[in-house]
Amino acid sequence: MDRAKRAFKWAKENPLTAASGVAAAGGATVVVAPALVTAPALGFMGFGSSGVAAGSFAAGVQATIGNVVGGSLFATLTSAGMGGYGAATVAAAGQVVGGIVAGAGAAGVLAGKIGNQARRLILTGRTKWRRINWRSKMTERRMAKAQAKLRMMKMTRMTKKVAEMNRADWIIGSRIKSKL
């Protein structure tokens, strides 16, 4: 349950990447098993196992075109609905479309990840893209330590100078007071 909540929260925060992931997964599913999509789609349009369903979208198209020519798109879709020679053609077309959708979805996921990295770079103020590995992290830590050490040395020098100036002021001030 916790994973589902985290996934839902992530999807709310990254809607484009989430939608792209769903498209990629759906497209890949169509590539692997095109009948899962093509058979219901053909049935929805009116291309059933017994031919064109009366009163459906397919019946309207058939009424518009009149006599159906063998090998035409309509004939192929009718054959696919009935499980004939058109089934392989429609499945192949579904796989092509599924591949395009899967590729577009994968590109969207990649773009979302790149966009997130770009946002991170902008928010952190880094100006160059660079790969962060443990060596660069160690170098950053060493640099931070060296800078802190340098600041301490400067502070120490400044403190000594201030102390010397205060001592000089005290000596000068005491000499002036003694003369008064």
Side-chain angles (χ1 to χ4, degrees):
M1 186 66 183
D2 188 41
R3 281 186 179 181
K5 285 182 181 178
R6 284 194 322 229
F8 185 71
K9 181 181 175 187
W10 178 86
K12 263 176 94 172
E13 292 171 357
N14 304 295
L16 180 64
T17 307
S20 298
V22 169
T29 302
V30 173
V31 169
V32 173
L36 290 175
V37 175
T38 57
L42 287 169
F44 178 74
M45 291 188 294
F47 297 104
S49 60
S50 60
V52 177
S56 66
F57 172 76
V61 171
Q62 187 176 16
T64 304
I65 62 173
N67 290 333
V68 178
V69 178
S72 67
L73 176 63
F74 192 86
T76 304
L77 291 174
T78 304
S79 172
M82 296 175 74
Y85 74 91
T89 306
V90 171
Q95 285 178 319
V96 168
V97 171
I100 291 169
V101 170
V109 169
L110 184 62
K113 287 189 179 250
I114 290 172
N116 287 341
Q117 286 182 348
R119 259 186 254 114
R120 259 187 245 123
L121 288 172
I122 290 167
L123 292 175
T124 57
R126 291 190 178 152
T127 56
K128 292 183 181 179
W129 290 82
R130 66 185 177 121
R131 185 174 170 214
I132 297 179
N133 56 24
W134 66 272
R135 288 186 181 152
S136 63
K137 289 259 188 206
M138 292 300 291
T139 304
E140 287 177 10
R141 288 185 190 133
R142 286 188 197 123
M143 289 290 290
K145 282 183 180 179
Q147 288 173 348
K149 200 173 194 179
L150 185 63
R151 277 194 297 263
M152 287 301 292
M153 289 171 58
K154 285 181 180 176
M155 293 285 283
T156 306
R157 284 190 211 134
M158 287 175 31
T159 306
K160 285 181 182 177
K161 285 183 182 176
V162 168
E164 288 174 8
M165 288 171 46
N166 285 342
R167 197 169 343 130
D169 287 347
W170 182 77
I171 292 172
I172 292 170
S174 62
R175 286 185 185 162
I176 292 173
K177 285 181 186 174
S178 63
K179 290 185 179 179
L180 291 176

